Amino acid sequence: MAAFGTEFMPQMSLAEFKDAHWTYQNMVSSDRIELHPGAHVLHYSSTCFEGLKAFKHADGSVHIFRMDQNIARMQQSSRLLTLPEVDSALLEQMIIDAVSSFTEQVPSPPGSMYIRPTHIGTEPAIGKAASPTQQSLLYVLLSPVGDYFSGGIKPLKLLIEENGSRCAAHMGMIKSGGNYASALGPILAARQQHQADQVLFCPGGDVQETGAANFLLIDDNEIITKDLDSSFLHGITRDSILTLARDLGMTVCERALSVDELIERAAKPNTEAALSGTAAVLTPVGSLIHNNKTITVGSGEGGPVTEKLRKALNAIQWGEAEDTHGWLTRVK
């Protein structure tokens, strides 16, 4: 298949907010949108998005994973960016309509249909640097994707960054393009200077997240990850993995984790670390770079607990295990 996220279905669902109400235009061509050059989003970054997936089961049925949580998070992002309020019933219908239009194009596992709802401010008003947009577009793009790791899963190398944050602390739980842009410079520098795959942002020694994923430390039967606050993204895959870990009898600790504790625990032979996210699901971390020193996490390879949790989540998504938490919405 094409590179992840570069192929799109020819149509998308679209709604417009104007004159204080939403108008659903249903399915339109996905190759372009029209924006005034003075659109609020182009000057003041009034934009947020979501990422979720639809999966095809062995019987041919198609199911969307945790759509309600993605809708709730998009409502939160829109509210915190003072974008027009997203109607949850409208967005749910838009997602279902889009996926229903292309159920035959949903790849079989390990592939899926990646779903990208996007909300942008469109009011043409360049004098509104301190005022919210009164107009917006909401649309749902679809991209059929294969396995994120076409060459096989390889343990990642992370650079620990204690002197900077991924984004402004009050913006962390907003899924906005600006947060990804602000992390790009440090990530590129880490790749060039340290051959690192990603940056683990730990401002003041507080272990938070990487540029595009949540961080989990696994020490035998215990998972440690930062407790939820406004400084980092509240990952839905993170929540799913922690729920499954509890189901398996593991101890889940959502609390502050310092760089010192991370390095100390990483040296233990059975320790594992992983990144969680929609695209990569659960990816092992093999090493950390701190003060120009490389620290191997456990064995340096993907560990059995990470693999077990990844398979447990995939089994639900692919219809191979019972959906006991009601995470799947059937569209076909």
Side-chain angles (χ1 to χ4, degrees):
M1 299 184 70
F4 193 99
T6 61
E7 180 182 345
F8 300 97
M9 292 295 94
Q11 289 186 307
M12 63 182 181
S13 56
L14 183 143
E16 182 179 13
F17 185 86
K18 192 174 183 179
D19 300 327
H21 73 275
W22 285 101
T23 300
Y24 184 21
Q25 299 182 21
N26 213 302
M27 301 299 292
V28 300
S29 175
S30 64
D31 63 348
R32 64 177 57 86
I33 55 174
E34 292 188 7
L35 287 178
H36 189 282
H40 199 275
V41 64
L42 300 178
H43 300 269
Y44 306 118
S45 298
S46 50
T47 172
C48 59
F49 63 92
E50 274 301 318
L52 62 160
K53 288 178 176 178
F55 298 89
K56 181 168 288 185
H57 292 184
D59 62 0
S61 61
V62 173
H63 303 254
I64 302 171
F65 184 71
R66 303 205 73 176
M67 176 173 61
D68 59 335
Q69 291 301 303
N70 283 273
I71 290 173
R73 191 170 64 179
M74 188 157 213
Q75 289 181 300
Q76 173 182 269
S77 293
S78 296
R79 182 173 62 252
L80 293 174
L81 289 170
T82 64
L83 279 159
E85 181 180 355
V86 172
D87 180 88
S88 60
L90 170 64
L91 182 52
E92 178 177 337
Q93 190 63 54
M94 291 174 66
I95 293 171
I96 290 175
D97 286 350
V99 175
S100 296
S101 297
F102 296 101
T103 53
E104 297 305 314
Q105 284 73 41
V106 177
S108 298
S112 61
M113 183 67 81
Y114 191 87
I115 307 166
R116 174 55 63 91
T118 305
H119 192 194
I120 61 174
T122 56
E123 183 180 0
I126 60 174
K128 279 199 161 188
S131 300
T133 180
Q134 299 302 310
Q135 300 174 21
S136 68
L137 283 181
L138 179 64
Y139 57 88
V140 179
L141 277 172
L142 299 181
S143 177
V145 296
D147 191 347
Y148 193 72
F149 301 99
S150 58
I153 300 175
K154 299 177 182 177
L156 302 178
K157 179 190 294 186
L158 307 184
L159 173 68
I160 293 176
E161 173 56 73
E162 297 185 77
N163 298 316
S165 302
R166 173 176 177 257
C167 60
H170 69 284
M171 290 286 288
M173 63 180 183
I174 302 173
K175 197 167 178 66
S176 177
N179 290 351
Y180 293 81
S182 67
L184 190 55
I187 293 169
L188 294 178
R191 289 175 183 170
Q192 183 177 31
Q193 298 170 18
H194 301 279
Q195 292 73 55
D197 298 294
Q198 260 289 355
V199 173
L200 180 59
F201 291 97
C202 308
D206 178 36
V207 178
Q208 293 189 346
E209 62 183 335
T210 66
N214 292 132
F215 179 81
L216 307 173
L217 181 67
I218 304 169
D219 188 348
D220 287 328
N221 199 49
E222 180 181 22
I223 293 185
I224 304 169
T225 189
K226 181 173 173 59
D227 51 320
L228 297 178
D229 62 24
S230 64
S231 67
F232 75 109
L233 191 65
H234 301 177
I236 294 166
T237 302
R238 168 193 179 277
D239 178 75
S240 304
I241 291 293
L242 296 184
T243 299
L244 294 177
R246 293 186 183 99
D247 290 347
L248 293 169
M250 297 184 67
T251 300
V252 175
C253 296
E254 297 181 71
R255 61 170 176 81
L257 174 65
S258 69
V259 170
D260 288 343
E261 182 183 0
L262 170 59
I263 291 173
E264 179 182 350
R265 286 180 179 260
K268 298 169 66 175
N270 293 325
T271 297
E272 302 174 35
L275 302 182
S276 65
T278 300
V281 186
L282 196 61
T283 310
V285 173
S287 59
L288 306 167
I289 303 169
H290 184 244
N291 293 335
N292 293 314
K293 295 182 179 179
T294 299
I295 300 141
T296 300
V297 179
S299 67
E301 302 296 330
V305 179
T306 299
E307 181 66 14
K308 179 170 65 174
L309 289 170
R310 178 186 173 90
K311 286 184 175 180
L313 182 56
N314 281 155
I316 295 171
Q317 293 172 330
W318 298 346
E320 299 171 354
E322 184 181 359
D323 176 23
T324 59
H325 297 285
W327 287 341
L328 299 175
T329 300
R330 181 169 179 162
V331 296
K332 177 191 175 185

